[in-house]
């Protein structure tokens, strides 16, 4: 058979030694010209713009952000949250010619504003300076669910 299990009882176990900052070895100092790693090497990374300039109709562009801001001014009448943070907007596309297409849904097909909300979205988006034509596509697939809400909306509704 196998050897019997032996149990060793001890009073205390000595903790391993902790590393100290004074024990650390200083790396060789490299000059900035040699491409030394800065302490915060991600500084400014998120503020960088794509090469080739900013296209106003692309995400981050003035025209696109203007459409998003217009959508954030439209509130669901039953819920005190704007439709963008509520997750009702699935896609926003803006062309060079100033045509905006918004793909959206509603919380339920039986929503009381099912007739008026798409028209209000179209009117508000078309009022953005630089937008020549606005089109709203109302879709039911994928269906809306509370997981599509932004964290701000969840916080506003006490879901976080």
């Amino acid at each position: 058979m196998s050897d019997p299990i032996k149990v060793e009882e001890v009073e205390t176990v000595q903790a391993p030694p902790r590393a100290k900052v004074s024990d650390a070895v200083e790396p060789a100092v490299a000059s900035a010209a040699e491409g030394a790693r800065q302490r915060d090497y991600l500084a400014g990374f998120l503020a960088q713009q794509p090469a080739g300039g900013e296209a106003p109709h692309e995400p981050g562009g003035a025209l696109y952000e203007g459409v998003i801001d217009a959508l954030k001014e439209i509130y669901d009448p039953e819920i005190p949250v704007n439709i963008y943070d509520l997750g009702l907007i699935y896609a926003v596309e803006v062309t060079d010619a100033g045509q905006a297409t918004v793909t959206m849904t509603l919380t339920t097909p039986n929503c009381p504003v099912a007739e008026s909300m798409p028209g209000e979205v179209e009117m508000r988006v078309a009022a953005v300076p630089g937008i020549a034509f606005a089109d709203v596509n109302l879709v039911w697939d994928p269906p809306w669910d509370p997981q599509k809400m932004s964290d701000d909306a969840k916080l506003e509704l006490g879901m976080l």
Side-chain angles (χ1 to χ4, degrees):
M1 252 171 108
S2 64
D3 294 331
I5 298 175
K6 295 181 183 179
V7 177
E8 180 182 352
E9 293 183 21
V10 295
E11 294 295 321
T12 61
V13 176
Q14 187 177 10
R18 300 181 108 192
K20 298 178 182 175
V21 175
S22 61
D23 296 341
V25 178
E26 290 292 325
V29 178
S31 67
E34 295 174 10
R37 181 174 169 176
Q38 299 172 356
R39 181 163 176 82
D40 185 9
Y41 61 96
L42 290 177
F45 176 75
L46 296 176
Q48 292 178 356
Q49 295 295 325
E54 183 180 298
H57 64 281
E58 293 293 327
L63 191 56
Y64 183 88
E65 293 303 321
V67 171
I68 298 299
D69 290 342
L71 292 171
K72 287 184 177 182
E73 292 176 0
I74 305 170
Y75 284 80
D76 187 297
E78 297 174 328
I79 305 170
V81 177
N82 68 64
I83 64 172
Y84 188 82
D85 287 335
L86 200 53
L88 298 178
I89 305 299
Y90 287 166
V92 175
E93 298 170 8
V94 181
T95 65
D96 290 332
Q99 179 176 351
T101 304
V102 177
T103 303
M104 66 173 292
T105 191
L106 298 172
T107 52
T108 66
N110 298 326
C111 183
V113 294
E115 291 181 20
S116 62
M117 183 68 74
E120 183 177 355
V121 170
E122 184 176 346
M123 181 182 71
R124 294 276 186 102
V125 171
V128 172
I131 297 295
F133 178 76
D135 189 27
V136 176
N137 296 326
L138 187 61
V139 297
W140 301 109
D141 190 37
W144 179 86
D145 63 80
Q147 294 302 107
K148 291 180 174 34
M149 295 186 340
S150 70
D151 288 342
D152 291 338
K154 289 178 183 178
L155 186 63
E156 179 73 27
L157 296 174
M159 297 174 72
L160 270 184

